[in-house]
Amino acid sequence: MTEIVILTGAGISAESGLGTFRDEGGLWAQHRIEDVATPEGFARNPQLVTDFYNARRAQAREAAPNAAHLALAKLQAARDVLIVTQNVDDLHRRGGAEGVLHMHGRLDRAFCTSCDHHFDAPLVMAPDDPCPACRQPTTRPDIVWFGEIPHHMARIERALSEASIFVSIGTSGNVYPAAGFVQAAQAYGLHTVELNMEPTQGSVFAERHVGPATEVVPAWVDQVLRG
Ligand code: OAD
């Protein structure tokens, strides 16, 4: 049974060199969400969208897990922890975490819109790449775009209903349904903790640690492991 549910966002990978979305100069200051992160944007200009994720895939591949990713893997080795991430990078897994739920998809995966075959994404995708299963030129990155339904919601809801602690790390709490997990956690009676560079607006967490993830996450993990 899950004891601790951890939700992570772009802030946990920031010190690995991957930009966040909404901090100053972040990805959404450089690109319009409508253009690169919606099904409509992909239908209008598949090359632009594919290039955007190709660039992010290349960047993610160059990045290394940081002390925060490693600390969560250490916690997972000692306690029953479910890591749910909004991130599409693979730094939790490369940091040693297991069973990570990628609710917004994964840069290293792709799928076919004709036959729903899921497969490992090549480092550089092209919009007319044929599907390895059905050969149709209808592949796309396995990323959940705005207007699409995030993955693993039933599993996450079940974990929240049985856990005793909910922790939110490096996320601004702007994007639902992830932004609503803290309210669900409170309704289930969980202790709620926020670890972030800044307290998020209207934050309702019972416990907060403010600072860079590479400092506050290892410190919080040590505190939990000391019991
Ligand atoms: P945001 O960019 O909205 O928020 C990042 C959060 O991390 C902010 O609250 C920062 O203060 C914090 N932060 C920045 N650097 C940090 C550091 N070194 N240590 C700790 N915290 C730090 O990113 P998300 O909340 O992850 O979805 O964004 C959620 C979703 O919006 C993403 O998954 C993506 C985006 O649109 C899709 O593309 C579907």
Side-chain angles (χ1 to χ4, degrees):
M1 201 165 92
T2 306
E3 179 198 1
I4 305 173
V5 177
I6 297 178
L7 171 70
T8 67
I12 197 165
S13 296
E15 290 161 87
S16 293
L18 301 180
T20 62
F21 295 94
R22 296 177 181 78
D23 290 308
E24 211 182 317
L27 275 172
W28 294 156
Q30 302 165 45
H31 305 270
R32 282 161 34 102
I33 289 180
E34 301 83 342
D35 290 340
V36 299
T38 62
E40 295 78 15
F42 185 64
R44 264 195 314 272
N45 192 341
Q47 191 64 59
L48 176 84
V49 177
T50 304
D51 288 345
F52 175 74
Y53 290 101
N54 283 343
R56 299 197 53 218
R57 189 178 301 108
Q59 231 187 3
R61 195 166 288 198
E62 290 303 307
N66 65 46
H69 299 104
L70 300 179
L72 293 187
K74 178 171 135 188
L75 181 64
Q76 206 180 34
R79 305 284 279 266
D80 201 337
V81 175
L82 176 68
I83 299 174
V84 176
T85 189
Q86 299 169 88
N87 298 344
V88 292
D89 66 57
D90 61 352
L91 296 182
H92 282 302
R93 262 175 302 130
R94 285 202 273 135
E98 286 175 9
V100 177
L101 299 184
H102 284 265
M103 59 183 296
H104 291 167
R106 289 169 50 169
L107 283 170
D108 58 3
R109 299 284 289 168
F111 72 96
C112 172
T113 57
S114 298
C115 73
D116 202 37
H117 176 64
H118 285 62
F119 56 97
D120 287 338
L123 184 54
V124 180
M125 289 185 73
D128 55 359
D129 278 346
C131 167
C134 74
R135 310 311 298 170
Q136 291 296 313
T138 48
T139 56
R140 56 165 271 190
D142 190 0
I143 302 289
V144 176
W145 289 324
F146 284 89
E148 297 182 324
I149 298 168
H151 301 317
H152 311 299
M153 289 306 298
R155 171 83 184 82
I156 296 166
E157 181 74 27
R158 195 167 67 243
L160 285 170
S161 75
E162 63 187 32
S164 47
I165 304 174
F166 171 72
V167 190
S168 170
I169 304 175
T171 174
S172 62
N174 272 291
V175 175
Y176 284 82
F181 290 170
V182 60
Q183 275 86 15
Q186 281 175 331
Y188 284 121
L190 276 64
H191 179 60
T192 57
V193 184
E194 176 171 67
L195 310 175
N196 208 57
M197 191 67 107
E198 58 195 5
T200 53
Q201 263 194 341
S203 181
V204 289
F205 291 86
E207 182 183 335
R208 276 204 198 117
H209 301 264
V210 174
T214 56
E215 292 174 21
V216 293
V217 176
W220 175 78
V221 165
D222 285 345
Q223 179 190 314
V224 172
L225 291 179
R226 275 197 307 271

